[in-house]
Amino acid sequence: MHFLIFRLITQRFGVGHATGVRAVQRVTRAIAQLCPLFIVWPQGEKADEVERGFLHTSAFPGTIGAIDGTHIRIRAPHENPEAYVNRKGYHSMHLQVSQKPAICDHKGIFTHCFVGHVGSVHDARVFRLSRLYDYLGDALKFPNDSHIIGDSAYALHTNLLTPFADNGHLTRRQKNFNFCHSSARMVIERTFGLLKGRWRSLLNELGMRNVSLIPYHVMAACVLHNICQLRRDAIPNVVVAARVVEDQPFGRGVEEDRVVAVEKRNIISAALVLRDV
């Protein structure tokens, strides 16, 4: 299908296949480089707006983003194809997004993206390799004791709240917390669905074998997604750029933070309005 589309395009415009491929690569890189304008971490009044948005849609307080990862199905690479096989048995590359290692806000706008790890890498490790991991504990990134929310694949932190582990003995308050937490976190799943629905090359198998080009393709799709979501008068101008750091376990500060995070989660759980769950 990928080859057929290129053939139709090159025939229509009277250029060779190789010329068409190079043109697509140049445009893709150019769009991906717009990341600093369209994929922006919420700060100041924007962070307040996002927090109010999550509070309105899910009643979950203090939230400035929802984090999760998704797999982009790819063809088996020529080198080390086994490394790209994910737990579902197909070759893929990670897109992790928080509000897009990936994060999004209450409107489904990506605010941070991290693309490029092989499908066999767990979400939690991809998170540790992203710049977002370095943001934890930074009051400038998380003003007013705010946080992002993620599922149980991530470690609990005061700036990254996860649900209570369901051991079959959760209290009503804990179940209510998990319900509100899940309601707030659903936005990232919807955003992934919208991203892949708009750019259908990400929905099935991405017809590219050059692994080094795939992150540009995925990032360009994320930029275009945000352009579609944003109003013209609301274009951001600060970047959260993706980078790779050395793999490492959670640091001492993160481990020590867990006690405070547990207490914070308990306080929120006690304050949430009880719902029938």
Side-chain angles (χ1 to χ4, degrees), residues 44-103:
E45 293 183 0
K46 182 60 179 179
D48 293 338
E49 176 191 336
V50 173
E51 185 174 333
R52 290 193 299 269
F54 274 104
L55 186 63
H56 174 73
T57 57
S58 64
F60 203 87
T63 304
I64 62 169
I67 181 172
D68 204 355
T70 189
H71 288 273
I72 307 299
R73 187 188 292 263
I74 63 174
R75 294 180 178 179
H78 292 299
E79 296 184 8
N80 303 319
E82 65 283 351
Y84 290 81
V85 178
N86 62 29
R87 63 182 182 275
K88 296 183 179 179
Y90 61 85
H91 296 86
S92 69
M93 185 169 285
H94 262 287
L95 165 62
Q96 189 165 131
V97 196
S98 64
Q99 203 217 219
K100 252 151 127 244
I103 296 174

Side-chain angles (χ1 to χ4, degrees), residues 219-246:
M219 187 64 74
C222 293
V223 169
L224 291 174
H225 166 88
N226 275 13
I227 291 175
C228 292
Q229 294 292 99
L230 287 165
R231 301 192 308 267
R232 287 186 177 181
D233 61 349
I235 296 177
N237 55 11
V238 182
V239 66
V240 178
R243 69 180 177 92
V244 174
V245 298
E246 293 184 1

Side-chain angles (χ1 to χ4, degrees), residues 190-203 225:
R190 293 196 299 268
T191 303
F192 282 140
L194 188 56
L195 172 73
K196 293 182 179 182
R198 279 175 169 154
W199 318 116
R200 300 187 72 82
S201 61
L202 305 180
L203 183 61
H225 166 88

